[in-house]
Amino acid sequence: MPELRVAVLGAAGYAGGELLRLLLQHPEVVELRAFSASHAGRGLAEAHPALAHLPAGAFEAPDPAAAASWAEVLFLALPHGRSQELMGTVLERDPALVIDLAADFRIRDDGLYRRHYGEHAAPGLRQQFVYALADVLGRRLEGRRRLAVPGCFATATLLGLWPFAAAGFLEAPPVVFAVTGSTGSGAVPRETTHHPARANNFFGYAAEGHRHEAEIAEQLATAGSGGSAAAVRLLVHSAPLVRGIHATTLFRPGQPLGDPVELLDGAWAGRPFVRVVRKPPRVEAVAGTNFAHVHAAVRGSEIVVYVAIDNLVKGTAGQAVQAMNLALGLDETLGLGFPGLYPV
Ligand SMILES: NC(=O)c1ccc[n+]([C@@H]2O[C@H](COP(=O)([O-])OP(=O)(O)OC[C@H]3O[C@@H](n4cnc5c(N)ncnc54)[C@H](OP(=O)(O)O)[C@@H]3O)[C@@H](O)[C@H]2O)c1
């Protein structure tokens, strides 16, 4: 199919902006329309200044039905809850590929979804979606038409733990200490993302449990962790970073596993965007890129796993474009091979 017509809903947000940056430079995207309620009629660079250097047009007023009728690939970059309200209308128009960046369609199990998010407006549509963890699924995404892009904390956690779960080593619930940059909370400033509250600060939140625990638990069970991952604990923190997720996970393997780096090397061999590094990774090496850096070490009777990603690229828009490439049978690296900036 390539030579794609692509539309983005929620295009003025941070995830939407990152999608525009990647799609405007994607070799197979011939037409791109950006829909935004807050910026309709204004140039793309008014919301996303760095796009001033690309040949870009203006935002259009949101019309999900028209976008879904016109586009071959439709991305939804909306706050949680909005995609489930719109998805019936979107799917009636039957675009070839729909990619949702929110949490609305990530979880298959009804009870699990309800426990973490409450009632769903379109529960019957959830089973049409695949959890598009692109680096794990790879070519298994080919031909899939409805993709739910994993959350940023979940992506970082799963890229570190998946190889251990798949090899049967995750016999006790893992504990994840994860840190995010301020763009993880979107473009609208809040008390916890406002610059003075964030620039020289560090704090934990969601002490009672973070919603991404639901998708991590469900996916680790799929990977082969048995029931142990159901009790995964995700301890989240806000750091004085703009971009980036750093996740450190501790788990007890249940049986000796030898060198964990060797296990990671084997699991990620041939996958273009996951790099197994020889020491704990740093956010500065992946910021602005679609790469994940992963490392692990033995710590007494436990294993410690480190992962660093960019929340807006690997943690959302980059993974979404990689999943698009895979779903359409394209080279999965198309439009995504660029390095980051250093220093950040
Ligand atoms: N930020 C991250 O690092 C990250 C990582 C993983 C996943 N995600 C997911 O990606 C999605 C977008 O996140 P974001 O960080 O880009 O958020 P954001 O910056 O707040 O942008 C969301 C966009 O949705 C639109 N919007 C806001 N409120 C709306 C409403 N009530 N009804 C309809 N549209 C509304 C707005 O777009 P317009 O004004 O342009 O219409 C807004 O720009 C979320 O579901 C988020 O969980 C984000």
Side-chain angles (χ1 to χ4, degrees):
M1 178 170 66
E3 299 235 319
L4 302 165
R5 287 195 309 272
V6 179
V8 177
L9 295 172
Y14 281 156
E18 201 67 350
L19 278 172
L20 299 181
R21 176 171 81 97
L22 302 178
L23 294 167
L24 282 165
Q25 301 179 87
H26 193 288
E28 294 292 351
V29 176
V30 289
E31 279 186 84
L32 178 66
R33 289 171 72 182
F35 293 88
S36 166
S38 57
H39 286 67
R42 291 154 67 181
L44 300 192
E46 284 196 40
H48 308 301
L51 298 185
H53 312 295
L54 292 172
F59 292 105
E60 299 176 49
D63 184 340
S69 303
W70 174 84
E72 285 150 339
V73 183
L74 177 64
F75 289 89
L76 293 87
L78 301 168
H80 178 73
R82 283 297 289 147
S83 344
Q84 57 192 268
E85 291 167 6
L86 301 177
M87 200 54 81
T89 304
V90 163
L91 295 186
E92 264 173 38
R93 271 73 186 176
D94 201 26
L97 183 56
V98 174
I99 305 180
D100 186 35
L101 272 56
D104 299 46
F105 295 93
R106 289 180 196 151
I107 292 159
R108 295 185 82 77
D109 183 81
D110 254 335
L112 187 63
Y113 181 89
R114 231 183 273 121
R115 268 201 305 289
H116 288 264
Y117 293 95
E119 289 305 314
H120 196 285
L125 300 180
R126 279 217 313 274
Q127 305 305 323
Q128 295 188 28
F129 281 76
V130 60
Y131 188 81
L133 190 61
D135 297 289
V136 167
L137 291 186
R139 288 278 156 227
R140 280 174 283 168
L141 280 173
E142 190 165 342
R144 297 303 299 252
R145 300 183 55 215
R146 311 293 176 232
L147 312 182
V149 180
C152 46
F153 280 127
T155 297
T157 303
L158 289 169
L159 295 182
L161 285 182
W162 192 283
F164 298 102
F169 288 109
L170 213 61
E171 286 186 7
V175 178
V176 189
F177 180 99
V179 173
T180 180
S182 52
T183 52
S185 307
V188 177
R190 302 192 197 148
E191 201 186 328
T192 50
T193 56
H194 188 45
H195 182 76
R198 197 66 189 252
N200 296 300
N201 210 349
F202 189 98
F203 52 89
Y205 63 100
E208 66 292 347
H210 190 279
R211 285 170 159 187
H212 285 188
E213 286 172 357
E215 59 191 275
I216 295 169
E218 191 165 68
Q219 292 304 314
L220 287 177
T222 308
S225 69
S228 66
V232 60
R233 279 152 294 162
L234 176 61
L235 308 171
V236 291
H237 300 78
S238 294
L241 301 167
V242 173
R243 286 170 179 265
I245 299 262
H246 188 287
T248 304
T249 301
L250 203 59
F251 73 94
R252 195 174 293 279
Q255 50 179 309
L257 63 67
D259 181 357
V261 171
E262 243 173 59
L263 188 145
L264 289 173
D265 276 339
W268 293 119
R271 302 300 296 128
F273 291 112
V274 183
R275 296 279 158 84
V276 181
V277 293
R278 305 292 129 181
K279 57 185 184 182
R282 300 163 76 131
V283 168
E284 66 185 359
V286 293
T289 81
N290 193 49
F291 292 90
H293 283 190
V294 182
H295 177 71
V298 177
R299 192 193 148 98
S301 59
E302 294 181 304
I303 303 296
V304 57
V305 186
Y306 301 93
V307 181
I309 62 168
D310 181 301
N311 56 299
L312 287 173
V313 190
K314 173 52 71 194
T316 187
Q319 181 163 216
V321 171
Q322 186 183 348
M324 174 189 85
N325 290 339
L326 286 163
L328 298 175
L330 300 170
D331 172 352
E332 71 182 295
T333 65
L334 273 188
L336 294 169
F338 50 86
L341 289 174
Y342 181 84
V344 184

